[in-house]
Amino acid sequence: MAAPFTSLEAQWIIQFNAPFILENHTLVINESHIVDILPTADARQKYPTNIIVELQEHALVPGFINTHNHAAMTLFRGMADDLPLMTWLNDHIWPAEGKWVQEEFVKDGTKLAIAEMLLSGTTTFSDMYFFPEAAAKVVEDAGIKAQLCTPIMEFPTAWGSGPDEYIKKTEQLLEQYKAHPRITIAAGPHAPYTVSDETFVKCIKLKDKYNCKLQVHLHETQFEVDESVKQHQMTPIDRLNKLGVLDNDTQCVHMTSLTDANITSISESGAHIIHCPESNLKLASGLSPINKAQHANINIALGTDGAASNNDLDMLSEARSAAFLAKAVSSDATALSAIEALKAATINGAKALGIDEKTGSLETGKLADIIAIDLSPLHCQPVYDPISQIIYASRSDQITNVWSEGQRLVENRKLTKMNTAEIINQAKAWASKIKEANK
Ligand SMILES: [Zn+2]
């Protein structure tokens, strides 16, 4: 027997092509894909036997794509706040990682992150953390999609002895997951200040051999730029450009302190900017000139960064912060409009990860990665423009239902495949262990 079709009857469906807002329309799902979008009156006639999900006063938008995360770091959430990047890393995060990070930690932390991401509407994320093989197992069970970037750097960690071992492990994972429908592996050379020229060149070879993506933290702070100029007589962007790292398969995370020449190099290379406004603000890392970059035709995607520097994984609030920050930095209230912020959180992320033909917008033929946002609460009234209401007035707990590849992973605010109580208990157990050891 054929799988039943499902009709999502919504008040609004948001698209990225005119007319942008469809009112009183139905989106039809068959198995993993969107197969039709049409007026609800017509859908009831055309599909009389469909399972109907009534979503009154709801808007349907594509599932969010969180393009930069260190998922397992949710277990360090709130452990070391109100510190600048290098103090935070050197004195707190790296020692804690040295002590605690192993497979079990990554498994439990990634589970907590995925549960939080699903409940706040993320259906695809990119991760960069140790033991990606442990994260992959959690992703597989949870039903979410992920790009897992293997961390590559010069120094030893619990995951490996140095760059050669990290690269070897990356190759093994690239082989293992090459045909996986929801997991892709990418190379994650950590940052210009932790990766040598020689290792960057090895990463390029890997990228060419396996046709994989590469994600790198780049221009996170002015300090990073100044040190690079001292050591290499050029900005990190110029150094990576010279090495051949930057092209359409490269995702550059943070990108603060950019000169006009840097923006031109990125634009010409086709590389993507992964903008993490809340992490940049919290660590006072610097400001990313998103408006200028956008006008230079650079694709801008959004990421939360890890929960230890944000401190949540909420893409709706990230999109709002991105819109506000773009306006403040450029002194231009028209910068990153509501629809542009929504695109940065969805289709632009899909472009950066190279999956925009499959997901990132609500279109017939694409994967059914969909979230339903309830716009009925008082603080969203009245609704003149649902897109404006989503970005500027909504909170992520208004996301009532989430479908990933047609699977309903959140149903009326409840996770359907994950055990919330167990995940919370595991997080609490880790925190007591860590607190006890720090006494
Ligand atoms: Zn990061």
Short mmCIF file of all heavy atoms in Angstrom, two decimals, residues 68 70 217 253-254 305-306, ligand 1:
data_model
loop_
_atom_site.label_atom_id
_atom_site.label_comp_id
_atom_site.label_asym_id
_atom_site.label_seq_id
_atom_site.Cartn_x
_atom_site.Cartn_y
_atom_site.Cartn_z
N HIS A 68 26.94 26.66 11.74
CA HIS A 68 28.16 26.52 12.56
C HIS A 68 27.81 26.23 14.01
O HIS A 68 27.16 27.01 14.68
CB HIS A 68 29.03 27.78 12.49
CG HIS A 68 30.32 27.63 13.24
ND1 HIS A 68 31.28 26.72 12.87
CD2 HIS A 68 30.80 28.25 14.35
CE1 HIS A 68 32.30 26.79 13.71
NE2 HIS A 68 32.04 27.70 14.62
N HIS A 70 29.29 23.73 17.63
CA HIS A 70 30.14 22.72 18.27
C HIS A 70 29.17 22.04 19.24
O HIS A 70 29.09 22.41 20.42
CB HIS A 70 31.31 23.37 19.01
CG HIS A 70 32.08 24.34 18.17
ND1 HIS A 70 33.00 23.94 17.23
CD2 HIS A 70 32.05 25.70 18.10
CE1 HIS A 70 33.51 25.02 16.63
NE2 HIS A 70 32.95 26.08 17.14
N HIS A 217 37.30 28.54 10.89
CA HIS A 217 37.11 29.80 11.62
C HIS A 217 38.07 30.81 11.00
O HIS A 217 39.27 30.52 10.90
CB HIS A 217 37.47 29.66 13.09
CG HIS A 217 36.59 28.74 13.88
ND1 HIS A 217 36.89 27.43 14.10
CD2 HIS A 217 35.41 28.96 14.51
CE1 HIS A 217 35.94 26.87 14.85
NE2 HIS A 217 35.02 27.78 15.10
N VAL A 253 33.91 30.98 8.77
CA VAL A 253 33.10 31.27 9.95
C VAL A 253 33.60 32.51 10.68
O VAL A 253 34.81 32.61 10.95
CB VAL A 253 33.13 30.07 10.92
CG1 VAL A 253 32.20 30.32 12.11
CG2 VAL A 253 32.75 28.78 10.21
N HIS A 254 32.71 33.43 10.98
CA HIS A 254 32.91 34.68 11.74
C HIS A 254 33.15 35.89 10.84
O HIS A 254 32.31 36.75 10.72
CB HIS A 254 33.99 34.57 12.82
CG HIS A 254 33.64 33.57 13.88
ND1 HIS A 254 32.47 33.62 14.57
CD2 HIS A 254 34.28 32.46 14.32
CE1 HIS A 254 32.40 32.61 15.43
NE2 HIS A 254 33.48 31.88 15.29
N ASP A 305 27.19 29.08 16.50
CA ASP A 305 28.42 28.71 17.19
C ASP A 305 28.03 27.80 18.36
O ASP A 305 26.85 27.51 18.55
CB ASP A 305 29.19 29.95 17.67
CG ASP A 305 30.70 29.73 17.69
OD1 ASP A 305 31.13 28.57 17.55
OD2 ASP A 305 31.45 30.70 17.87
N GLY A 306 28.98 27.36 19.16
CA GLY A 306 28.64 26.44 20.25
C GLY A 306 27.87 27.14 21.37
O GLY A 306 27.96 28.36 21.52
ZN ZN B 1 33.19 27.99 16.34
#
